Amino acid sequence: MAQITSSGIGSGLDISGLVSQLVQAERTPQETRLNTNEIRAQSRLSAFGGLKSSLSSFQGALTKLQEAGLYQGRVASVSDEALFKVSADSDAAVGSYSIQAEKLASRHKLASVAFINDDAAIGTGTLSISVNGKSFSVDIATGSDSLTSVRDAVNSASDNGVTASIIREQNGSRLVFTAAETGAANAITITASVDGSDTGDLTQLNFDPEGLPADNKLLEQQAAADAELTIDGFTAVSPNNVFSSVVDGVTITLLDTNPGVSESLDVNLDTDAVRNAVTQFVNAYNTLRTNLNNLTAYDPETGKAGLLQGDSTTSRLSNQLRQMLNETVSGADADLDTLAEIGITTNFETGRLETDSDKLNGLIASNFDDFAALFSGDNGIAARLDAVADVYTRFEGILDTRTDGLQKQIDRISDQRITLDKRLAVIEARYLQQFTALDALLGELNQTSSFLTSQLANLPGFTREKK
């Protein structure tokens, strides 16, 4: 848009100021209208976004209530958590058991006699090592027959079920073999094969857990043993301290022992999970209801209205949700087929849900299975509410359609601003042309007036009137 920087030469008029004021008078009402419309559209766009967010959060709580596993959950507990760690899945039967922690599983551990130091030669030949049916061999050659070399050769062997280490004590260095896994089945067998060039006595590493003690040259520092517990008077064993098949659906991990002392193991319905899911549902709905109330509110005293007050989409959603909460669920227990009958009622002033915790907790404990029929399944309350919400929140659903319309309105306002600027540029140019022409005309008239005044002053007998 052209900038006018000087007053009229012929007339003395402030052409720049006049044109600027006239253009601004044209711009102000239309720009104000566009700004007002844009602010309203942006505000409604934000309001629909917030509504969709709270509606999606509500759907998340509904999804939890629809999961069949929620009502099949079991929880296991034990009287001494220092001895046992327990868990239960949906296959576990509700019940109580007496349980005793008798013995932890252990790894087989063998130690050699004491040698002078780590570099002492053990002997040459071949070591055949077997653990739980798996075997491997290690060749010990001259110059590589020290405790250190044998240790490294064992540890570098592939698929070995044994680790070797060196322990240095007051009598010297000992080579120690430890089974990788616990359990009686993982006992270590070591057989040494020597030849005439043996640099020492490799048979010092022989050990057969089923052989005669006198033939075993290694010291058994720790026996290979299974874990053991007693449950309801029956003994159960495990190679790794985990008992997963003693009671269907229950996993027991032995942490420590206290032989002969009975503890209690209880398997119960996971009522806490259902209670928490119902509480999350109530909280999510109340958040959604508060949002709906604020968006559609109207204060007659101040005349202030919510951003979506009078909006048909929001009103329809609000009414559908309110109606659905009060419907009866067919197929559920006749005494527990509505939310009100489990202690969840609607505040008719605010529309928010209120919970009678004592009633709800008591019914979850006494009528646990009935909650699945009330909330889950295609006909349950959660599924019905989710179906209503999905119409609004899904891709290209009702809320997407509304927000797309508002975004297009905002885009049109931007286009209208561009059109307004172009039109005002044309108006400004026209005003400038008109005032410039007026300025030139006034300049000519001023020159003519000055000329006539001068000529008249020169006429005989002309007297200028004194002021």
Side-chain angles (χ1 to χ4, degrees):
M1 188 178 293
Q3 297 295 317
I4 303 172
T5 58
S6 62
S7 300
I9 297 174
S11 64
L13 293 174
D14 182 6
I15 294 176
S16 175
L18 287 172
V19 171
S20 178
Q21 292 177 37
L22 288 171
V23 171
Q24 189 61 38
E26 290 273 356
R27 176 188 296 277
T28 298
Q30 298 182 64
E31 193 168 57
T32 299
R33 175 180 58 81
L34 292 176
N35 290 341
T36 300
N37 291 341
E38 183 177 39
I39 291 173
R40 183 184 297 112
Q42 290 282 14
S43 298
R44 289 171 67 85
L45 185 65
S46 176
F48 277 120
L51 177 59
K52 185 175 182 179
S53 177
S54 56
L55 196 53
S56 296
S57 296
F58 178 54
Q59 283 184 282
L62 295 174
T63 298
K64 182 66 176 179
L65 284 172
Q66 294 179 75
E67 295 174 354
L70 174 67
Y71 308 96
Q72 298 169 0
R74 301 293 185 264
V75 58
S77 60
V78 67
S79 57
D80 191 340
E81 294 182 351
L83 296 178
F84 305 95
K85 177 183 177 182
V86 295
S87 63
D89 59 31
S90 58
D91 293 330
V94 173
S96 296
Y97 308 88
S98 174
I99 189 170
Q100 298 176 16
E102 303 293 350
K103 185 169 63 176
L104 289 171
S106 59
R107 290 181 175 84
H108 200 197
K109 184 171 288 191
L110 305 172
S112 71
V113 296
F115 290 83
I116 295 175
N117 55 43
D118 297 5
D119 296 326
I122 299 177
T124 57
T126 301
L127 286 179
S128 295
I129 302 176
S130 177
V131 178
N132 199 11
K134 294 182 179 181
S135 301
F136 67 98
S137 297
V138 177
D139 292 327
I140 310 299
T142 302
S144 299
D145 58 349
S146 66
L147 270 67
T148 300
S149 297
V150 173
R151 178 198 64 189
D152 295 343
V154 170
N155 289 338
S156 62
S158 59
D159 298 326
N160 61 4
V162 173
T163 58
S165 60
I166 296 174
I167 293 180
R168 303 167 192 89
E169 45 98 359
Q170 61 181 358
N171 295 317
S173 298
R174 295 179 184 268
L175 185 62
V176 178
F177 299 91
T178 305
E181 303 292 338
T182 60
N186 291 306
I188 303 170
T189 299
I190 302 177
T191 303
S193 300
V194 299
D195 52 34
S197 62
D198 187 7
T199 57
D201 184 8
L202 197 60
T203 61
Q204 296 177 87
L205 303 183
N206 279 348
F207 188 91
D208 184 353
E210 296 181 358
L212 296 175
D215 295 334
N216 290 330
K217 303 298 181 64
L218 293 176
L219 304 175
E220 188 174 53
Q221 297 297 103
Q222 182 171 277
D226 290 331
E228 184 179 310
L229 61 78
T230 302
I231 183 164
D232 283 354
F234 301 101
T235 299
V237 295
S238 167
N240 56 9
N241 297 321
V242 178
F243 298 79
S244 57
S245 59
V246 176
V247 178
D248 285 341
V250 179
T251 299
I252 306 168
T253 302
L254 196 58
L255 303 177
D256 203 347
T257 61
N258 193 9
V261 178
S262 295
E263 304 293 342
S264 60
L265 167 64
D266 298 308
V267 179
N268 296 301
L269 299 170
D270 194 357
T271 56
D272 286 345
V274 174
R275 183 183 301 105
N276 291 338
V278 173
T279 299
Q280 290 172 10
F281 155 72
V282 171
N283 292 339
Y285 178 80
N286 286 342
T287 298
L288 173 60
R289 174 52 60 185
T290 298
N291 195 9
L292 284 169
N293 290 346
N294 292 337
L295 291 173
T296 59
Y298 177 75
D299 188 340
E301 295 183 1
T302 63
K304 186 176 181 179
L307 293 172
L308 299 180
Q309 201 276 328
D311 176 72
S312 60
T313 297
T314 311
S315 297
R316 183 167 62 254
L317 169 62
S318 178
N319 292 334
Q320 286 176 314
L321 293 174
R322 191 188 297 268
Q323 179 181 355
M324 194 71 65
L325 290 173
N326 296 314
E327 289 187 352
T328 300
V329 176
S330 61
D333 185 276
D335 294 327
L336 293 174
D337 56 1
T338 65
L339 287 178
E341 288 175 331
I342 65 170
I344 300 175
T345 56
T346 303
N347 184 307
F348 291 104
E349 291 185 2
T350 64
R352 291 167 58 89
L353 295 178
E354 297 177 345
T355 303
D356 183 337
S357 297
D358 291 339
K359 184 175 183 179
L360 176 64
N361 294 339
L363 288 172
I364 289 177
S366 62
N367 299 67
F368 185 83
D369 293 337
D370 293 325
F371 278 77
L374 178 63
F375 285 104
S376 66
D378 295 338
N379 192 47
I381 290 175
R384 290 182 183 179
L385 288 168
D386 191 36
V388 170
D390 185 64
V391 173
Y392 292 84
T393 60
R394 67 190 178 197
F395 179 68
E396 294 185 349
I398 292 176
L399 292 181
D400 277 358
T401 300
R402 292 303 306 274
T403 54
D404 287 346
L406 287 168
Q407 187 58 58
K408 289 177 181 178
Q409 181 181 344
I410 293 170
D411 294 340
R412 287 196 298 270
I413 291 172
S414 297
D415 294 339
Q416 290 170 6
R417 279 203 176 91
I418 295 173
T419 301
L420 176 61
D421 287 340
K422 291 179 179 178
R423 189 171 68 83
L424 290 175
V426 172
I427 291 175
E428 183 180 31
R430 187 177 71 246
Y431 282 155
L432 178 60
Q433 184 180 21
Q434 291 173 345
F435 277 96
T436 300
L438 176 61
D439 181 63
L441 176 60
L442 290 175
E444 292 176 359
L445 292 175
N446 284 337
Q447 290 178 1
T448 302
S449 174
S450 297
F451 174 75
L452 292 175
T453 300
S454 175
Q455 293 299 316
L456 290 172
N458 294 327
L459 290 176
F462 178 79
T463 302
R464 182 183 297 272
E465 182 179 352
K466 295 183 179 181
K467 295 182 181 179

